[in-house]
């Protein structure tokens, strides 16, 4: 039996475990950040700098799109790459709709059980409970989103648009990056955004602005970082990145310690505020780039600690980012109402936060074990191919299966 050859342009890719690690860290941070007034939330990045887990996910998704699919498109297999990317966007869309339905049901049940309408107002589902027929349609078109469900529509939009971006990127990479920067500037200047529901509101994550980070990451994955590496890892760049991270840390500390606010000059306050997350403020963008520069320099691809026991739970969650993100949204609300209805002591906060992370790791472990179970299938042949060829021995077909490539959270 002849072996099927791998099509030109397809190749086996060594998995970069660092990306799984950082996605896992990001998932844990998202879970903790969604629990209000949680002492464990002080471990997350947003308390010490301008950027947070959102930049992690957008950059990693864009980098994987450029690294994995750009060579496929360059080899003339554009439709193969587009098919897989659009399928991934569809998977995220279905996940978002299912998450929306289950999440609103979870909140509705909590409202009835504790007779506390605060939750439906806090999580923006009051209108849904009053007019479900209208809001279902708005949710299907990604216009209506309860609190904590804003990020998946951004990923769906970016991944769905990535085939066109890739087609241009493999031909004129620098021009595509420049066009992305121009779109970012124009969208901020003219306040471009996608309309949301209720009327008069817009998406919390403006895709016209956040595409800059996604396209830049894809540009890096397509080989652009090799051009920047010599400069990015130079002594001068390291000093600039470190200085910027220290500056961001000091500014963020003034948000937590109000006595420090008087130390910030008024002219600086006018320059840096507001630090807008919706439109990806440049302070957030550059803060993440400074952090990524240092991490890429001091965390090599084959870092020995990636095989350590402490990193394994985070890597495991990062491998299954989409389902673990959805589980994390449920768990964060569960932790929220437990703390609100019963007690908000430090030990209780530690307990619910730790339990939530353990559940996420356990679900990721089950998903990882499930992937090892072999699929049972039959091959369906057309009539003209019905006569089977003689089989002498089983031979695996070569294939490229980039797990989670181009995926969202």
């Amino acid at each position: 039996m002849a072996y099927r050859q791998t099509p030109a342009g397809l190749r086996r890719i060594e998995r970069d475990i660092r990306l799984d690690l950082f996605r896992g860290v990001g998932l844990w941070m998202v879970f903790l950040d969604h629990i209000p007034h949680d002492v464990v939330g002080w471990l997350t990045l947003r308390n010490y700098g301008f950027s947070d887990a959102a930049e992690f996910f957008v950059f990693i998704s864009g980098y994987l799109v450029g690294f994995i699919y750009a060579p496929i498109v360059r080899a003339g297999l554009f439709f193969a790459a587009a098919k897989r990317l659009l399928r991934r966007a569809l998977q995220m869309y279905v996940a978002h709709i299912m998450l929306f339905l289950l999440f609103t049901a979870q909140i509705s049940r909590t409202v009835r059980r504790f007779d506390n309408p605060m939750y439906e107002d806090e999580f923006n589902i009051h209108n849904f409970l009053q007019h479900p027929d209208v809001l279902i349609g708005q949710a299907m078109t990604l216009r209506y989103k309860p609190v904590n469900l804003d990020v998946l529509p951004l990923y769906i939009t970016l991944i769905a648009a990535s085939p066109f971006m890739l087609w241009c990127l493999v031909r004129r990479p620098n021009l595509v990056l420049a066009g992305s920067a121009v779109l970012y500037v124009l969208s901020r200047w003219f306040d471009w955004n996608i309309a949301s529901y209720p009327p008069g509101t817009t998406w919390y994550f403006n895709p016209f602005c956040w595409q800059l980070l996604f396209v830049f990451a894809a540009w890096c994955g397509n080989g652009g970082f090799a051009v920047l590496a010599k400069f990015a890892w130079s002594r001068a760049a390291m000093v600039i990145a470190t200085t910027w991270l220290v500056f961001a840390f000091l500014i963020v500390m003034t948000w937590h310690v109000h006595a420090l606010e008087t130390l910030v000059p008024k002219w600086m306050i006018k320059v840096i505020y507001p630090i807008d997350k919706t439109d990806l403020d440049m302070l957030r963008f550059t803060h993440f780039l400074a952090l990524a520069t240092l991490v890429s320099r001091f965390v090599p691809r084959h870092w020995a600690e990636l095989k350590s026991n402490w990193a394994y739970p985070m890597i495991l969650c990062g491998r299954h980012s989409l389902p673990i993100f959805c589980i994390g949204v449920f768990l964060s609300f569960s932790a929220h109402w437990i703390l609100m209805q019963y007690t908000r002591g430090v030990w209780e906060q530690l307990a619910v936060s730790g339990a939530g992370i353990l559940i996420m790791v356990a679900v990721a472990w089950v998903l990882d074990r499930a992937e090892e179970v072999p699929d049972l299938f039959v091959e369906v042949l057309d009539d003209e191919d019905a006569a089977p060829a003689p089989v002498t021995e089983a031979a695996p077909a070569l294939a490229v299966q980039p797990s989670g490539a181009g995926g969202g959270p």
Side-chain angles (χ1 to χ4, degrees), residues 10 68 345 365:
L10 295 184
I68 294 175
W365 183 86

Side-chain angles (χ1 to χ4, degrees), residues 316 320 323-324 327 331 358-368:
L316 200 60
H320 307 280
I324 298 304
I327 292 293
L331 294 175
L358 286 176
I359 292 173
M360 293 167 68
V361 173
V363 172
W365 183 86
V366 171
L367 293 174
D368 208 55

Side-chain angles (χ1 to χ4, degrees), residues 369-377:
R369 298 287 82 77
E371 287 188 349
E372 297 179 0
V373 178
D375 294 322
L376 300 179
F377 60 91

